[in-house]
Amino acid sequence: MKRHAIAIHGGAGTITRNILTNDLELAYRGALQEAIEMGDRILAKGGNALEAVTASVALMEENELFNAGKGSVFNHEGKHEMDAAVMDGKTLMAGAVSGIRNLKHPVLLAKAIMEKSDHVLLANSGAADFAREMNLEFAPDDYFFVQHRYEQFLAARAEGHVVLDHTQPGDEKKFGTVGAVALDVHGNIAAATSTGGMTNKKWGRVGDSPIIGAGTYANNNTCAISCTGHGEYFIRSVVAYDISCLMEYKGLSLKEACDLVVMKKLVEIGGEGGLIAIDTMGNIEMPFNSEGMYRAVKHSEQDYFIGIYKD
Amino acid sequence: MKRHAIAIHGGAGTITRNILTNDLELAYRGALQEAIEMGDRILAKGGNALEAVTASVALMEENELFNAGKGSVFNHEGKHEMDAAVMDGKTLMAGAVSGIRNLKHPVLLAKAIMEKSDHVLLANSGAADFAREMNLEFAPDDYFFVQHRYEQFLAARAEGHVVLDHTQPGDEKKFGTVGAVALDVHGNIAAATSTGGMTNKKWGRVGDSPIIGAGTYANNNTCAISCTGHGEYFIRSVVAYDISCLMEYKGLSLKEACDLVVMKKLVEIGGEGGLIAIDTMGNIEMPFNSEGMYRAVKHSEQDYFIGIYKD
């Protein structure tokens, strides 16, 4: 039996022990465990990496703790505009969506775009039309309404600024993207990412999550990656593909490439955040240059690891 | 006086001598010369590369021969939805817009997003709101109406397919993006790209042009690049940043990297198109794997070169 492995993240940011209550920490740990178990079960049954990362991310999209799907932050108009992407390391096929509204599982739309259209990236109402053709599930605004997010939004709008997740004094500052990367028993890797973006975002701002090569990338020759962080820096640095190139062209290991990009190159330009990465040997890296990152790992031959803080 | 240089493209595709009439060929040559002179004049006066590429692209956006700005193809709803991007190789700052309607110069919006917002990518009606705040010039639908494009659209819609530019029998099949790359006398490079996308495109399809790292990239350490081609392949291959990484991490020359990516890697996956590239030595490459590419080059110490066909 060949080994398999999966890693997930639920966002990075200023997440410290004095910010999370015990109850909230337990809730996050429970949600991360559920999501990683979901993907791990698929992999254990011989399912492919793409199915596993999609299922784990779809489950996190249903949990209002995470800024993706239900629980997505409010944009400037008080609406939810979501982005997602998937990429298959075996075929180098990819699918992505930006600015989708009222769709329960943006990651399933990204997968459908990859599998059922000739395109990679669909946006806004046009993407919604495609989702309807695919019979994907929509939900009214109130499904996405979460009191906590709404209060963040009102505070951010009152202060007149755009925030990545929230910045109330004493509260966590979090880049609330979710993502997953996995290796299946067939030796293939895949990545998936989903996000509600920035609280009070306006002008149709799109971050790195749906940008293949920036927030999401997968290639059996190198690695599969899902990012979370200040998207503008991740786009300009083409973060995910940079790690892949450092491995392919410079011979760096997964760990060396991840450390260089996240802990040095991004830090130098002020790009806060982190990522999860896997290679076809089952090596997993989860570097982040922020205070914390919600994350979990499951190797076929090992116990779960669930982490939130730096140490 | 340090040297400067600029290259532009007006799209690649099945452009052969028996497709273009003499008059049309002359019109394209004239339009390319105007556009390259525009950028060259700015560079000759000591202007910076970003200003030069933006000005050249903005001029091409005014010419209905090119699928960008006026002359943009029609989407499935009979509207014009345009994408553009700019990147500054000195600062690694970038700006991009997707799905913008009724804006005369999408490239100027991309530049404004880079210079006047905290964001990299803005989309659709939100991007239009930002453009209005920047006092950029809008135009009614009939400004963008070009009879030739409309007939393409009707033919494509009647046949029920999406085409990259047009595929009438005996007619040119063209990926009608425009772009420019330049080196200024200060030693900085920059890239700009603008497109109307695919005729009869639906579902809010976005191509590679506004994707930093795919269709547009610039970095003083390596190169500045603007692509034109079948965008989905260019996104999945992260074409522009791949060339940059092959130079930075593998030590390839600009020519070696361009040839590898355009003439080998893209060809192997069926990714038709081409690109223009420049480095800080003023080397320029314009590889394309299609029948032709509208292109022009001007080095400070040399005459113009204007090309359309393969040889």
Side-chain angles (χ1 to χ4, degrees), chain A residues 121-134:
Chain A
L121 176 56
L122 302 181
N124 296 58
S125 63
D129 293 340
F130 181 74
R132 276 184 283 271
E133 288 193 28
M134 296 292 111

Side-chain angles (χ1 to χ4, degrees), chain A residues 132-248:
Chain A
R132 276 184 283 271
E133 288 193 28
M134 296 292 111
N135 292 311
L136 293 175
E137 196 179 353
F138 284 82
D141 284 348
D142 59 3
Y143 169 81
F144 296 91
F145 184 92
V146 175
Q147 187 63 35
H148 176 57
R149 299 292 187 208
Y150 190 62
E151 286 162 12
Q152 285 170 20
F153 161 62
L154 293 179
R157 198 172 59 173
E159 293 170 37
H161 63 192
V162 181
V163 294
L164 283 148
D165 195 319
H166 45 232
T167 55
Q168 286 115 310
D171 203 336
E172 52 169 344
K173 174 185 159 212
K174 190 164 78 70
F175 309 101
T177 303
V178 307
V181 295
L183 165 69
D184 63 32
V185 296
H186 314 291
N188 299 314
I189 55 178
T193 310
S194 180
T195 188
M198 294 163 74
T199 294
N200 197 32
K201 66 184 174 185
K202 52 182 179 176
W203 305 322
R205 179 259 184 188
V206 180
D208 62 311
S209 301
I211 307 297
I212 299 304
T216 307
Y217 187 72
N219 185 334
N220 274 3
N221 289 331
T222 51
C223 56
I225 288 180
S226 171
C227 298
T228 170
H230 197 147
E232 279 71 10
Y233 295 90
F234 283 64
I235 293 175
R236 292 165 47 208
S237 301
V238 202
V239 164
Y241 194 59
D242 197 29
I243 290 173
S244 177
C245 288
L246 284 163
M247 296 175 68
E248 185 170 0

Side-chain angles (χ1 to χ4, degrees), chain B residues 197-211:
Chain B
M198 296 162 74
T199 295
N200 196 33
K201 66 183 173 186
K202 52 183 178 176
W203 305 321
R205 179 260 183 187
V206 180
D208 63 311
S209 301
I211 307 297

Side-chain angles (χ1 to χ4, degrees), chain B residues 58-112:
Chain B
L59 196 62
M60 285 190 278
E61 286 175 336
E62 291 174 13
N63 193 317
E64 65 180 57
L65 288 173
F66 302 114
N67 173 17
K70 181 177 174 67
S72 285
V73 298
F74 289 81
N75 72 5
H76 190 64
E77 291 78 39
K79 301 283 183 182
H80 307 281
E81 264 181 341
M82 301 169 287
D83 308 326
V86 298
M87 189 159 180
D88 182 345
K90 180 187 178 189
T91 61
L92 301 184
M93 294 296 284
V97 57
S98 71
I100 186 76
R101 289 188 180 179
N102 295 97
L103 190 72
K104 283 181 89 164
H105 296 109
V107 74
L108 298 185
L109 175 54
K111 186 162 176 279

Side-chain angles (χ1 to χ4, degrees), chain B residues 115-230:
Chain B
E115 293 176 340
K116 306 283 173 59
S117 87
D118 294 328
H119 304 305
V120 173
L121 176 56
L122 301 182
N124 295 60
S125 62
D129 293 341
F130 181 74
R132 275 184 283 270
E133 288 193 29
M134 296 292 110
N135 292 311
L136 294 176
E137 195 178 355
F138 284 82
D141 283 349
D142 59 3
Y143 169 81
F144 296 91
F145 183 93
V146 175
Q147 187 63 35
H148 175 58
R149 297 292 188 209
Y150 191 62
E151 286 162 12
Q152 284 170 18
F153 161 62
L154 294 179
R157 198 172 59 173
E159 293 170 37
H161 63 192
V162 180
V163 294
L164 284 147
D165 196 318
H166 44 232
T167 56
Q168 287 116 308
D171 202 335
E172 51 169 345
K173 173 185 159 211
K174 188 165 78 70
F175 309 100
T177 303
V178 307
V181 295
L183 164 69
D184 64 31
V185 295
H186 315 291
N188 299 314
I189 54 178
T193 310
S194 181
T195 188
M198 296 162 74
T199 295
N200 196 33
K201 66 183 173 186
K202 52 183 178 176
W203 305 321
R205 179 260 183 187
V206 180
D208 63 311
S209 301
I211 307 297
I212 300 303
T216 307
Y217 187 73
N219 185 336
N220 274 5
N221 289 331
T222 51
C223 57
I225 289 181
S226 171
C227 299
T228 170
H230 197 147

Side-chain angles (χ1 to χ4, degrees), chain B residues 253-285:
Chain B
S253 69
L254 184 71
K255 178 172 170 43
E256 289 167 340
C258 285
D259 284 351
L260 176 58
V261 171
V262 178
M263 308 312 281
K264 187 161 187 295
K265 293 174 80 168
L266 277 172
V267 168
E268 281 169 2
I269 61 171
E272 190 180 350
L275 56 84
I276 52 174
I278 195 167
D279 65 20
T280 52
M281 308 293 289
N283 296 308
I284 287 175
E285 295 295 330

Side-chain angles (χ1 to χ4, degrees), chain A residues 14 93 121 191 213 229 242 250 255 294 306:
Chain A
T14 311
M93 293 297 282
L121 176 56
D242 197 29
K250 221 177 171 180
K255 179 173 170 42
Y294 297 110
I306 294 175

